[in-house]
mmCIF file of all heavy atoms in Angstrom:
data_model
loop_
_atom_site.group_PDB
_atom_site.id
_atom_site.type_symbol
_atom_site.label_atom_id
_atom_site.label_comp_id
_atom_site.label_asym_id
_atom_site.label_seq_id
_atom_site.Cartn_x
_atom_site.Cartn_y
_atom_site.Cartn_z
ATOM 1 N N SER A 1467 7.135 30.601 24.086
ATOM 2 C CA SER A 1467 8.290 31.087 23.329
ATOM 3 C C SER A 1467 8.159 30.689 21.870
ATOM 4 O O SER A 1467 7.591 29.646 21.550
ATOM 5 C CB SER A 1467 9.579 30.505 23.905
ATOM 6 O OG SER A 1467 9.861 31.153 25.112
ATOM 7 N N PHE A 1468 8.714 31.517 20.981
ATOM 8 C CA PHE A 1468 8.429 31.300 19.569
ATOM 9 C C PHE A 1468 8.992 29.993 19.046
ATOM 10 O O PHE A 1468 8.426 29.364 18.176
ATOM 11 C CB PHE A 1468 8.934 32.482 18.721
ATOM 12 C CG PHE A 1468 10.407 32.428 18.406
ATOM 13 C CD1 PHE A 1468 10.859 31.887 17.211
ATOM 14 C CD2 PHE A 1468 11.338 32.910 19.302
ATOM 15 C CE1 PHE A 1468 12.205 31.838 16.912
ATOM 16 C CE2 PHE A 1468 12.696 32.862 19.018
ATOM 17 C CZ PHE A 1468 13.122 32.318 17.822
ATOM 18 N N SER A 1501 8.405 35.162 27.438
ATOM 19 C CA SER A 1501 8.689 35.214 26.009
ATOM 20 C C SER A 1501 8.815 36.664 25.547
ATOM 21 O O SER A 1501 8.080 37.533 26.004
ATOM 22 C CB SER A 1501 7.582 34.539 25.208
ATOM 23 O OG SER A 1501 7.821 34.727 23.830
ATOM 24 N N THR A 1502 9.772 36.891 24.648
ATOM 25 C CA THR A 1502 9.939 38.230 24.066
ATOM 26 C C THR A 1502 9.624 38.200 22.577
ATOM 27 O O THR A 1502 10.010 39.095 21.841
ATOM 28 C CB THR A 1502 11.384 38.721 24.262
ATOM 29 O OG1 THR A 1502 12.266 37.685 23.813
ATOM 30 C CG2 THR A 1502 11.665 39.041 25.699
ATOM 31 N N ASP A 1536 17.415 35.484 31.820
ATOM 32 C CA ASP A 1536 16.894 36.342 30.751
ATOM 33 C C ASP A 1536 15.628 37.014 31.277
ATOM 34 O O ASP A 1536 14.557 36.406 31.288
ATOM 35 C CB ASP A 1536 16.587 35.452 29.539
ATOM 36 C CG ASP A 1536 16.181 36.237 28.306
ATOM 37 O OD1 ASP A 1536 15.929 37.446 28.412
ATOM 38 O OD2 ASP A 1536 16.108 35.627 27.220
ATOM 39 N N ASN A 1555 20.812 38.803 31.706
ATOM 40 C CA ASN A 1555 20.602 39.075 30.290
ATOM 41 C C ASN A 1555 19.307 39.873 30.151
ATOM 42 O O ASN A 1555 18.227 39.347 30.369
ATOM 43 C CB ASN A 1555 20.504 37.745 29.527
ATOM 44 C CG ASN A 1555 20.087 37.932 28.080
ATOM 45 O OD1 ASN A 1555 20.282 38.995 27.493
ATOM 46 N ND2 ASN A 1555 19.508 36.897 27.492
ATOM 47 N N ASP A 1626 24.735 43.271 22.739
ATOM 48 C CA ASP A 1626 24.023 42.351 21.836
ATOM 49 C C ASP A 1626 23.146 43.195 20.915
ATOM 50 O O ASP A 1626 22.329 43.993 21.402
ATOM 51 C CB ASP A 1626 23.173 41.406 22.710
ATOM 52 C CG ASP A 1626 22.379 40.379 21.909
ATOM 53 O OD1 ASP A 1626 22.039 40.652 20.741
ATOM 54 O OD2 ASP A 1626 22.074 39.320 22.474
ATOM 55 N N GLY A 1658 22.374 36.590 19.118
ATOM 56 C CA GLY A 1658 21.237 35.676 19.253
ATOM 57 C C GLY A 1658 20.418 35.679 17.976
ATOM 58 O O GLY A 1658 19.540 36.532 17.804
ATOM 59 N N LYS A 1662 15.533 32.356 14.296
ATOM 60 C CA LYS A 1662 14.701 33.565 14.161
ATOM 61 C C LYS A 1662 14.074 33.689 12.772
ATOM 62 O O LYS A 1662 14.465 33.023 11.833
ATOM 63 C CB LYS A 1662 15.519 34.788 14.570
ATOM 64 C CG LYS A 1662 15.675 34.799 16.101
ATOM 65 C CD LYS A 1662 16.192 36.074 16.675
ATOM 66 C CE LYS A 1662 16.176 35.939 18.205
ATOM 67 N NZ LYS A 1662 16.964 36.949 18.870
ATOM 68 N N ARG A 1698 23.948 32.761 21.197
ATOM 69 C CA ARG A 1698 22.818 32.250 21.987
ATOM 70 C C ARG A 1698 22.009 31.347 21.070
ATOM 71 O O ARG A 1698 21.419 31.827 20.103
ATOM 72 C CB ARG A 1698 21.986 33.438 22.481
ATOM 73 C CG ARG A 1698 20.810 33.092 23.344
ATOM 74 C CD ARG A 1698 20.035 34.368 23.700
ATOM 75 N NE ARG A 1698 18.903 34.075 24.544
ATOM 76 C CZ ARG A 1698 17.732 33.626 24.098
ATOM 77 N NH1 ARG A 1698 17.526 33.452 22.812
ATOM 78 N NH2 ARG A 1698 16.760 33.381 24.950
ATOM 79 N N HIS A 1700 19.585 27.498 20.336
ATOM 80 C CA HIS A 1700 18.732 26.407 20.829
ATOM 81 C C HIS A 1700 19.384 25.051 20.567
ATOM 82 O O HIS A 1700 19.203 24.122 21.337
ATOM 83 C CB HIS A 1700 17.366 26.470 20.132
ATOM 84 C CG HIS A 1700 16.661 27.777 20.347
ATOM 85 N ND1 HIS A 1700 16.904 28.889 19.573
ATOM 86 C CD2 HIS A 1700 15.752 28.156 21.278
ATOM 87 C CE1 HIS A 1700 16.151 29.895 20.012
ATOM 88 N NE2 HIS A 1700 15.453 29.483 21.045
HETATM 89 N N1 LIG B 2521 16.478 36.568 21.810
HETATM 90 C C1 LIG B 2521 15.401 36.075 22.456
HETATM 91 C C2 LIG B 2521 15.324 36.144 23.847
HETATM 92 N N2 LIG B 2521 16.317 36.688 24.571
HETATM 93 N N3 LIG B 2521 18.448 37.721 24.680
HETATM 94 C C3 LIG B 2521 19.526 38.209 24.060
HETATM 95 N N4 LIG B 2521 20.531 38.749 24.762
HETATM 96 N N5 LIG B 2521 19.649 38.187 22.690
HETATM 97 C C4 LIG B 2521 18.669 37.652 21.901
HETATM 98 O O1 LIG B 2521 18.825 37.676 20.659
HETATM 99 C C5 LIG B 2521 17.502 37.117 22.526
HETATM 100 C C6 LIG B 2521 17.425 37.177 23.951
HETATM 101 C C7 LIG B 2521 14.294 35.447 21.682
HETATM 102 O O2 LIG B 2521 14.484 34.073 21.516
HETATM 103 P P1 LIG B 2521 13.817 32.900 22.407
HETATM 104 O O3 LIG B 2521 14.295 32.966 23.827
HETATM 105 O O4 LIG B 2521 14.065 31.598 21.764
HETATM 106 O O5 LIG B 2521 12.272 33.171 22.331
HETATM 107 P P2 LIG B 2521 11.253 33.862 23.319
HETATM 108 O O6 LIG B 2521 11.704 35.248 23.583
HETATM 109 O O7 LIG B 2521 9.947 33.799 22.579
HETATM 110 O O8 LIG B 2521 11.252 33.075 24.602
#
Side-chain angles (χ1 to χ4, degrees):
S1467 286
F1468 81 95
S1501 174
T1502 50
D1536 186 349
N1555 172 24
D1626 180 333
K1662 286 193 176 165
R1698 182 183 181 279
H1700 302 84

